[in-house]
Amino acid sequence: MKVVLDLAVIGSGFGGSLLAMIARRLGLRVALIERGRHPRFAIGESSTPLANLLLEELAHRYDLPCLRPLAKWGSWQRDHPEIGCGLKRGFTFYHHRTGQAWIPSEERDNELLVAASPHDGIADTHWYRPDFDHFLVHQALTLGVEYFDETELSAAVVGTDSCRLEGRRLGRPVHFDAEFVVDATGPRGFLHRALRLPEGSFPGLPHTQALYTHFRDVVRWEQLHPSAAVPPYPVDDAAVHHVFEGGWVWVLRFNNGLTSAGLAATDTLAEELNLREGGPAWARLLARFPDIGKLFTTARPAQPWRHTPHLSFRSSRVSGSRWALLPSAAGFVDPLLSTGFPLTLFGIARLAEILARPGDLSARARGLADYETITLAELDAAARLVTALYRHLGDFPLFARLALLYFGAASFSEAARRLGRPELTGDSFLLTRRADLAGRLHELLDRALEPLTHDTRAALMDDVLRFLEPLDVAGLTNSTRRNWFPARAEDLVLGASKLGVDESCVRHLLARCGFDPKA
């Protein structure tokens, strides 16, 4: 069987399906090629405010109304309660020490709560990927995307006018001749292998492994540690991170009774626990950290254990004359800060603009070269921050201070975009295209990777706050909050001048976004 196309998208996860839908809206003949079949298990589940905003923008720009309800918890539950979803009100971090119980501190120097929304209605979400990805494939089919599941590709031949993909579907030979091909198959995916693209690395980032599955009956942290003070949000309705020397555990709760949980660990810790053994390794981990263990006392795995022996990946090439990798296929750093979704959505937006000009080959070539440059630069920026955080997993006050660099950049970026001023951040992730800010950010992270004395550590802690102050529209530099950062309208209003607008513009934005549930 031969299929002739304008665009072939390999991989029908959320990124591949979304790009295929946009391409159909642009009038292209599109095929979505999938090795497996839906619904299927997939990892990578936690969205962020910036990712949801990018999803909203794509839905508006390319007339995809089916996507709009999925950008907020409230509208998702109203319009699509059948799609599994988790409520994410913020980012929750707790620090643990081997063999010791977790005890709350008055200074909260072993916890960090950063709210992403003021109430459930406009909260972020965890995407239950079997349901979410399946839904998007169905929407792509509705728009006229041709879908080929259970298709095993074996070769890619890039020519001057097209790219030919060869393989078998349901035991029969099939090939696709596409003017352009996008790989959405994830790290070390099909095009990376078929085109023998060179693999790079992230300097300084430790080699890490992961062990994970979905569970039932995971105990809530707030049942073990009820707080005398009212936290900025229910601490379990979040992306929960339990961090310790050598790694961290994530806990993401869905509304269908399942909880995604897993461990990301340096090779040293992974080998001590022998992660390749699956369940026994998880039991050894829980025995080391009493309070994490209590969360899983009654928990039962609902899926087979999955072990990823090498988490990080960076391709040295991202695009060619007839092909491109989505950011999710170009590289992966670590799930620590949920950076994968915004990176991928930025990439989809950029590729969509390139695909919208099919006849201008010189413009396409320039666009693809720029796409490769910014994709790798954003991956490198995310890796640099994660590297610094891994370095200080055992020093939680410094870890928490460095993590604010991410939250400061992300909250500023979201506010700037919502106000129609993406140029304030270079229209990029982690300020990558703001050379002045990116340079200072990199300098801080480089210092975090050097040996620190008492004085240089203190200076670094202070300088992080100095860097954040002109970007801070979320009260992150307010030390009186002692690592609990709520989402408050007054913080954004006070930051109006940093965004180049007056207070009335910010108040209008807050009303438009539903910040006050009573308005």
Side-chain angles (χ1 to χ4, degrees):
M1 180 174 65
K2 177 180 179 180
V3 183
V4 180
L5 305 159
D6 297 313
L7 175 67
V9 180
I10 311 169
S12 62
F14 88 89
S17 294
L18 179 53
L19 182 63
M21 294 164 66
I22 291 171
R24 278 298 299 147
R25 285 300 198 205
L26 293 172
L28 303 181
R29 182 179 180 186
V30 185
L32 193 56
I33 305 167
E34 168 60 42
R35 182 176 62 181
R37 60 183 303 178
H38 290 277
R40 55 153 195 219
F41 178 88
I43 200 67
E45 299 146 327
S46 187
S47 189
T48 66
L50 182 56
N52 286 337
L53 175 54
L54 292 167
L55 192 65
E56 285 181 22
E57 290 178 358
L58 291 171
H60 176 75
R61 186 176 304 151
Y62 297 103
D63 188 24
L64 297 170
C66 64
L67 297 178
R68 294 191 185 112
L70 305 179
K72 298 181 181 70
W73 166 265
S75 54
W76 185 322
Q77 299 312 298
R78 182 189 67 230
D79 291 6
H80 291 290
E82 78 282 4
I83 303 175
C85 179
L87 174 60
K88 181 180 179 182
R89 288 287 307 278
F91 285 77
T92 299
F93 297 83
Y94 295 109
H95 183 243
H96 299 262
R97 299 189 184 278
T98 302
Q100 297 182 19
W102 188 89
I103 300 173
S105 161
E106 185 175 343
E107 293 303 312
R108 302 178 191 141
D109 56 4
N110 58 357
E111 59 183 302
L112 173 65
L113 307 182
V114 183
S117 62
H119 59 85
D120 292 358
I122 60 172
D124 299 325
T125 51
H126 307 308
W127 301 350
Y128 181 63
R129 295 286 299 278
D131 287 357
F132 187 80
D133 291 2
H134 195 191
F135 172 81
L136 289 188
V137 168
H138 176 74
Q139 296 302 315
L141 291 174
T142 301
L143 292 176
V145 172
E146 299 179 62
Y147 181 51
F148 299 86
D149 61 358
E150 298 184 88
T151 301
E152 188 75 36
L153 296 177
S154 57
V157 181
V158 180
T160 56
D161 298 322
S162 67
C163 183
R164 179 185 177 95
L165 304 174
E166 300 174 353
R168 300 182 71 83
R169 182 171 192 256
L170 302 175
R172 297 181 179 181
V174 61
H175 71 263
F176 305 85
D177 287 330
E179 182 183 345
F180 200 77
V181 174
V182 173
D183 189 333
T185 57
R188 301 177 184 86
F190 172 72
L191 281 185
H192 181 80
R193 300 191 309 271
L195 300 181
R196 297 181 179 179
L197 302 178
E199 183 169 343
S201 63
F202 298 115
L205 183 67
H207 291 167
T208 53
Q209 303 180 32
L211 179 67
Y212 51 91
T213 189
H214 286 168
F215 291 88
R216 295 189 183 277
D217 300 325
V218 177
V219 175
R220 292 176 69 90
W221 179 265
E222 60 196 17
Q223 292 178 241
L224 302 177
H225 295 281
S227 176
V230 178
Y233 52 86
V235 297
D236 292 277
D237 295 337
V240 182
H241 306 68
H242 297 282
V243 304
F244 38 82
E245 190 75 57
W248 63 284
V249 165
W250 70 82
V251 180
L252 312 174
R253 297 174 183 274
F254 301 112
N255 62 356
N256 56 10
L258 295 175
T259 296
S260 173
L263 164 70
T266 62
D267 278 356
T268 299
L269 178 57
E271 293 305 317
E272 288 178 11
L273 296 171
N274 197 7
L275 292 195
R276 63 182 65 86
E277 287 190 3
W282 184 256
R284 287 189 283 271
L285 170 75
L286 300 185
R288 289 191 175 199
F289 301 104
D291 286 82
I292 303 177
K294 291 175 184 177
L295 295 175
F296 293 89
T297 301
T298 59
R300 299 170 289 120
Q303 287 277 341
W305 286 99
R306 288 167 169 86
H307 172 227
T308 301
H310 191 182
L311 269 180
S312 64
F313 164 74
R314 183 190 191 276
S315 177
S316 293
R317 292 292 314 280
V318 176
S319 65
S321 60
R322 295 288 168 184
W323 60 273
L325 310 181
L326 277 188
S328 55
F332 183 77
V333 180
D334 193 270
L336 182 58
L337 294 172
S338 305
T339 58
F341 284 0
L343 285 171
T344 293
L345 290 165
F346 266 121
I348 289 171
R350 290 162 184 155
L351 282 177
E353 292 181 1
I354 294 169
L355 294 171
R357 302 189 297 272
D360 192 340
L361 295 183
S362 60
R364 172 175 286 190
R366 292 192 300 273
L368 287 170
D370 183 64
Y371 172 76
E372 177 170 280
T373 298
I374 187 59
T375 297
L376 291 176
E378 289 179 334
L379 283 166
D380 289 343
R384 187 178 284 106
L385 176 54
V386 169
T387 300
L389 292 173
Y390 261 87
R391 178 69 63 89
H392 298 290
L393 285 169
D395 180 354
F396 190 76
L398 181 52
F399 173 96
R401 185 64 55 86
L402 292 170
L404 294 185
L405 292 169
Y406 167 77
F407 295 114
S411 56
F412 185 79
S413 295
E414 182 197 1
R417 293 188 78 88
R418 289 198 181 278
L419 289 165
R421 303 206 61 191
E423 72 280 358
L424 292 177
T425 63
D427 197 12
S428 58
F429 184 68
L430 277 181
L431 313 171
T432 303
R433 277 191 158 157
R434 273 290 305 269
D436 54 339
L437 296 175
R440 292 171 56 204
L441 176 58
H442 295 172
E443 183 267 337
L444 287 170
L445 296 175
D446 287 344
R447 285 168 56 190
L449 297 176
E450 297 171 356
L452 296 175
T453 66
H454 178 273
D455 290 342
T456 58
R457 177 185 177 279
L460 177 61
M461 296 272 281
D462 290 342
D463 288 345
V464 167
L465 294 184
R466 291 191 185 95
F467 171 82
L468 285 173
E469 199 285 327
L471 301 173
D472 184 14
V473 294
L476 301 175
T477 56
N478 184 343
S479 60
T480 66
R481 294 182 179 174
R482 292 177 295 146
N483 280 355
W484 281 11
F485 298 102
R488 292 182 176 172
E490 58 263 33
D491 291 326
L492 197 57
V493 172
L494 290 173
S497 61
K498 302 174 185 180
L499 295 160
V501 297
D502 59 31
E503 292 186 3
S504 64
C505 288
V506 173
R507 295 189 188 281
H508 180 71
L509 169 67
L510 292 168
R512 188 172 74 246
C513 293
F515 200 90
D516 182 355
K518 300 176 183 178

